[in-house]
Amino acid sequence: MNSMDDTGVVAGPASGRTGHTHRLRGLAGTGLIAALAAMVATTLAAALAQAVGVGFEVPDGGETIPLSGFAVVTGFFSVVGIVIAVALLRWSARPAKRFVWTAVSLTAISLVPPLLSGANTATITALLGLHLVPAAVMIPTLARSLRTRTD
């Protein structure tokens, strides 16, 4: 069904969908690039921490967290953040504001497990920092993309 607006231009049913789909794809693409950057930054920061003597040994099992583990977990939770951003773009009137609030809250919650891990002070400090590195990449990037895509 077509409708005519005030200018006399006929708008078909798909005209709004195309713009919305484009915004969702743009946000997802920006998010995936940011996720790759966050994975690289976190893995490099973990490697630097290891180079200065931080051991990422988990006290319960005695195993050491491998560098690839930092990349995989960062990638997984970055994708979770992208999904949240896409959902907010789709269903929220103020997606950027809600995304920042949600992402900062989830980041704060993610800081609890290292504090409860029983690891030594250097490992806990490094793990806390390694939670903040991807947050510093992902949150501003997705929030900025949500703002520019909803104007």
Side-chain angles (χ1 to χ4, degrees), residues 16 18-33 82 85-86 88-90 92-96 141-151:
T18 305
H20 186 67
T21 301
H22 179 69
R23 290 190 322 216
L24 289 173
R25 285 185 183 158
L27 175 62
T30 299
L32 290 175
I33 292 168
I82 295 166
V86 167
L88 289 170
L89 179 61
R90 175 76 174 95
S92 176
R94 288 181 247 156
T141 302
L142 291 174
R144 187 173 26 255
S145 186
L146 285 167
R147 273 189 220 103
T148 59
R149 298 195 189 292
T150 58
D151 291 340

Side-chain angles (χ1 to χ4, degrees), residues 71-126:
V72 169
V73 171
T74 299
F76 176 79
F77 284 105
S78 294
V79 169
V80 170
I82 295 166
V83 169
I84 291 169
V86 167
L88 289 170
L89 179 61
R90 175 76 174 95
W91 291 298
S92 176
R94 288 181 247 156
K97 182 177 180 179
R98 301 243 188 267
F99 175 77
V100 170
W101 191 90
T102 302
V104 169
S105 297
L106 291 173
T107 301
I109 291 168
S110 81
L111 299 176
V112 174
L115 294 171
L116 301 177
S117 69
N120 64 42
T121 304
T123 301
I124 291 171
T125 303

